[in-house]
């Protein structure tokens, strides 16, 4: 039987951390119908009151990362009053850091979103990545941290964007049998070039859906099994000839592909160091 | 005095949750030089051994989200052996869910990255957002969830990408005094249109840096204070005339701007419901 569960995510910052934590923890349970109440940027008394009203009207688990001490106390008192289970999701980590560093945690909401050098580097990575999607502006590839190569619909674009959000300048280039990539691709020194591949059947399926969704009849080489097989073989040969690491995305989510790429980039950096 | 701290982030999934948690918790402490050891996708014994080797060689705080029970036990035993403080970062939330739902947590690594409908909707949102950056393909704006309008360099693109990662199909359109946007913009019903603005001085500074970084002399209207002032006034009038909510991005990070936008979108949805 499916259980209904209200979850209140209350944060005086963006609520991004809470959102990620809740998603990861909820994934370990079955048969629940989760109603998610997102309360980011709760900083004023009026914000707090509205949030507490919603909690009382929809009782359930309260997860919070309230950093401001007064607001935290108000929230926790309200949870007790309404008999709601509340978890301060970051406390175990903050406490461990506090005792290791012999330092009390500062009560500064939104402090992780400070506009520092790392922040601007990340914004730069996003701009770079968008400007180097799908083989465009290849003259600047040398500036990239990562270059992804793969045939059409091997999730190059979303993977690039995800990597950009993690701070990696990422370019991607489609591998097309009839049109060889610019020579520059084979001569890159700074970026790590990575080949993405997938299974024939999966690719045919994804492409067929793609064609249907744009209203085209799926009867070209683009979705022909033999043609797709040749295309993937061509790409794999290119990857092998150049000694590029290859990731099979068949059963991987974007996040998992990206994590595998970051892992590869790290081991290369360690070897170079 | 700056303290050096090694942090090991060990996950049998992508490590994304850990990364977010560590960032948020570390932001509450001062004067630390953090050396971050990222160990995602730790699933095999060989992976574990390598990780434990690195932990022993660089002692510090171990944060983990190991879901597989055997690997978790091995890791925790290694931490005790090497006398390293270890925190299972998701445990408080998982435990609270477990007792609320009367259900034990499943030991399924990477379960939040299951390729479900929400996942594909998010990938779609990313594709849509990239295809609708900077006013392109405005014919499809009605399909967007959010449309951002603002003059050049008000962080429309990175904010759009961030919102896409959160599952919102986002289009953005530059407000240019000399070239009015397509009429369609004023007639949208599904998307929420939001105006982004910023302070004159901040915008001049950002644009000046931009011109320098692309090797152009900063002596055009693009960075002239009076011209920029007129440009921003023009945009603000457009936002007001159409009753679009406005966000001032001057001292906001992308994440904070996005959180404010999500909050606006939620309150509108509540009003419509």
């Amino acid at each position: 039987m499916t259980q209904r569960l209200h979850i209140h995510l209350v944060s005086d910052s963006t609520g991004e951390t809470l959102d990620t934590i809740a998603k990861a923890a909820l994934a370990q349970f079955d048969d629940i119908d989760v109603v998610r109440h997102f309360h980011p940027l709760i900083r004023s008394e009026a914000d707090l009151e509205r949030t507490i009203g919603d909690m009382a009207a929809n009782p359930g688990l309260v997860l919070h990362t309230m950093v401001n001490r007064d607001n935290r106390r108000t929230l926790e008192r309200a949870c007790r009053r309404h008999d709601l289970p509340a978890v301060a999701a970051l406390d175990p980590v903050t406490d461990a850091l506090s005792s290791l560093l012999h330092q009390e945690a500062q009560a500064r909401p939104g402090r992780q979103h400070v506009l520092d050098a790392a922040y601007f580097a990340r914004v730069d990575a996003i701009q770079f990545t968008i400007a180097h999607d799908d083989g465009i502006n290849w003259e600047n590839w040398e500036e990239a941290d990562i270059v992804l190569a793969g045939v059409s619909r091997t999730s190059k674009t979303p993977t690039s964007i995800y990597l950009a959000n993690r701070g990696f300048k990422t370019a991607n280039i489609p591998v097309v049998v009839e049109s060889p990539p610019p020579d520059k691709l084979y001569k890159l020194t700074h970026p790590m070039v990575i080949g993405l591949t997938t299974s024939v059947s999966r690719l045919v399926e994804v492409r067929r859906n793609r064609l249907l969704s744009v209203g085209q009849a799926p009867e070209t080489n683009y979705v022909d099994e033999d043609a797709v097989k040749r295309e993937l073989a061509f790409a794999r040969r290119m990857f092998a000839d150049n000694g590029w690491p290859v990731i099979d995305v068949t059963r991987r989510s974007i996040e998992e592909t990206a994590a595998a790429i970051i892992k590869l980039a790290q081991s290369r950096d360690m070897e170079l160091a």
Side-chain angles (χ1 to χ4, degrees), chain A residues 152-153 200-212 216-229 231:
Chain A
S152 171
R153 296 277 131 185
V200 174
S201 56
R202 176 81 188 123
L203 192 54
V204 168
E205 187 196 334
V206 170
R207 287 181 172 184
R208 225 176 242 142
N209 289 338
R210 175 67 188 160
L211 288 185
L212 287 173
Q216 288 200 1
E219 280 166 48
T220 61
N221 266 348
Y222 189 65
V223 289
D224 175 83
E225 202 166 302
D226 285 329
V228 168
K229 202 179 280 175
E231 210 184 324

Side-chain angles (χ1 to χ4, degrees), chain A residues 113-125:
Chain A
H113 302 299
V114 64
L115 307 182
D116 58 8
Y119 170 79
F120 287 109
R122 208 149 48 79
V123 172
D124 268 0

